[in-house]
Amino acid sequence: MADPIGYFCARPECRFVPALLGKGVKEIVGQASVPVPLFFQTNHLRGVGARSDGTYVPTLTGCPQAADFATLWSDDMIDTHIHFDSARYGDRAAICERSAGCGVEAIVVPGIGPPSNLTVLDLTGQFPGLVYGAAGLHPELPAMDRRDIDALADTVRRNRASICAVGEVGMPYYGPIAAVPERQALAREVLEQAASLARELDLAIILHAPHETAAVALQIVRSAGVRRVVFHWHKSDESTTRAILDAGFFVSLTPEVAWRERDRELALLAPLHQIVVETDGPHPHERVFPGRQTEPWMVSEAIAAIAEVKRIDRQDVAMATTANARRLFALDNVKPKAG
């Protein structure tokens, strides 16, 4: 169990803060003005970090809400989708240290194109055992041609032992490119070849397939016979979602499940053994973590919200989503790339 982080009790008669121990805790916690996530509000807690005067109380002795602090963090969290190769992430070593200190045991980083894929592979060598990489070709890249498809296949084949998935691949939905028929056709070709490659090499596939494109992607991966599939940050109609689940595939939820009704309905619909969690960083989660750079430990909020929706123990959700991610990506079989 990782050390608890400093949420304090909001009751007027009690201002105790749990022990703030472990590396990087002050950086993780931030300032006292950062709002507390939804889950902790429901447990009569608010605020983060220290008292308003900047002091820390080392124990919860005397706090009637002490039990609420018992499992703020667990040693069972995996962020299954974060673009850690993004230039927006500066001190990656510090981010990894913070996340590991909060109980994150793995970070899956999808590639989105040739340069990205190379950076992702480098990161797996820099942070072995924590960062796991995938190679992909994002359907909404500004520029893409068939040479990129060949490059993706070459990267995947040469690095099969060091990656956990093909992805991020899928169908364009956002932005002007999504309305271009030629790009739709090219993205479909990419996805078909990526699915064939994943099936041949027994790799998972990470899908970008929001809304109505989910049905198209589902048909392609099922036809190709891909065995392990995740619809990342899934959003689609109930009928398509049920078909995805009936196929035995996974759906992923982000911290938005803490407040967005669509995502909460998905958390209720999907069996726990088919749910994984992600941040999709550096995409910000302003409703839950205002003003904060997205980091892997923030999947804790998704875990807490899923537990709330399903009315089950948070630790059960943490353990299940971690086991699901390990099974989905076969993480125990991945060999870190030599640095």
Side-chain angles (χ1 to χ4, degrees):
M1 175 69 66
D3 294 317
I5 302 302
Y7 289 89
F8 62 81
C9 183
R11 292 160 61 107
E13 69 275 18
C14 182
R15 281 295 188 223
F16 286 90
V17 182
L20 292 171
L21 304 174
K23 296 180 179 178
V25 166
K26 288 187 179 180
E27 289 82 6
I28 297 166
V29 173
Q31 301 301 313
S33 60
V34 177
V36 69
L38 171 73
F39 175 73
F40 300 108
Q41 293 177 20
T42 65
N43 282 275
H44 311 293
L45 307 174
R46 74 175 179 211
V48 167
R51 290 170 165 167
S52 58
D53 64 359
T55 61
Y56 292 89
V57 177
T59 71
L60 275 172
T61 304
C63 176
Q65 302 294 319
D68 291 327
F69 295 105
T71 58
L72 294 186
W73 302 101
S74 91
D75 290 326
D76 296 296
M77 295 192 292
I78 293 180
D79 185 350
T80 62
H81 196 107
I82 180 169
H83 296 281
F84 203 40
D85 60 308
S86 169
R88 283 188 258 176
Y89 286 113
D91 190 345
R92 295 188 180 99
I95 293 170
C96 286
E97 184 178 17
R98 280 195 291 272
S99 297
C102 286
V104 174
E105 62 180 59
I107 301 165
V108 177
V109 184
I112 62 170
S116 169
N117 294 333
L118 294 178
T119 302
V120 169
L121 285 165
D122 286 344
L123 290 173
T124 66
Q126 292 177 42
F127 306 103
L130 179 64
V131 173
Y132 294 83
L137 193 56
H138 197 287
E140 291 158 4
L141 283 178
M144 181 195 304
D145 60 37
R146 285 178 175 79
R147 290 173 297 180
D148 296 322
I149 303 176
D150 295 337
L152 172 61
D154 181 63
T155 298
V156 171
R157 289 186 187 281
R158 285 189 295 105
N159 296 280
R160 167 63 185 86
S162 302
I163 61 175
C164 66
V166 179
E168 181 175 354
V169 294
M171 298 299 296
Y173 182 83
Y174 303 106
I177 284 174
V180 179
E182 293 80 9
R183 282 303 302 270
Q184 286 281 347
L186 183 59
R188 186 180 184 110
E189 182 179 345
V190 172
L191 179 52
E192 288 172 346
Q193 295 202 29
S196 177
L197 194 62
R199 174 65 179 86
E200 175 194 343
L201 300 178
D202 191 23
L203 282 164
I205 193 166
I206 301 169
L207 294 177
H208 171 95
H211 303 291
E212 58 265 27
T213 68
V216 177
L218 175 61
Q219 184 273 323
I220 291 172
V221 295
R222 291 186 70 174
S223 296
V226 185
R227 288 187 285 267
R228 292 177 284 124
V229 178
V230 59
F231 284 74
H232 116 82
W233 199 337
H234 179 61
K235 43 186 90 74
S236 189
D237 61 273
E238 182 175 337
S239 175
T240 300
T241 298
R242 288 189 181 278
I244 289 167
L245 298 171
D246 288 345
F249 300 148
F250 292 87
V251 294
S252 183
L253 288 160
T254 75
E256 285 200 1
V257 68
W259 61 271
R260 189 184 288 276
E261 189 58 33
R262 176 199 67 204
D263 292 19
R264 294 171 76 80
E265 290 173 0
L266 174 59
L268 197 58
L269 173 65
L272 184 57
H273 69 271
Q274 288 177 269
I275 296 175
V276 293
V277 292
E278 64 168 278
T279 59
D280 199 19
H283 178 88
H285 294 284
E286 286 291 330
R287 287 282 293 268
V288 185
F289 298 103
R292 305 295 299 274
Q293 176 178 252
T294 297
E295 297 187 4
W297 59 268
M298 293 178 179
V299 294
S300 60
E301 178 66 2
I303 289 169
I306 293 166
E308 179 194 11
V309 170
K310 287 186 172 292
R311 298 179 182 274
I312 57 178
D313 187 79
R314 179 192 182 282
Q315 189 72 8
D316 291 340
V317 176
M319 292 176 64
T321 54
T322 296
N324 295 345
R326 288 201 166 276
R327 186 170 74 255
L328 165 63
F329 294 115
L331 294 184
D332 294 338
N333 299 328
V334 179
K335 299 177 182 178
K337 186 174 177 63

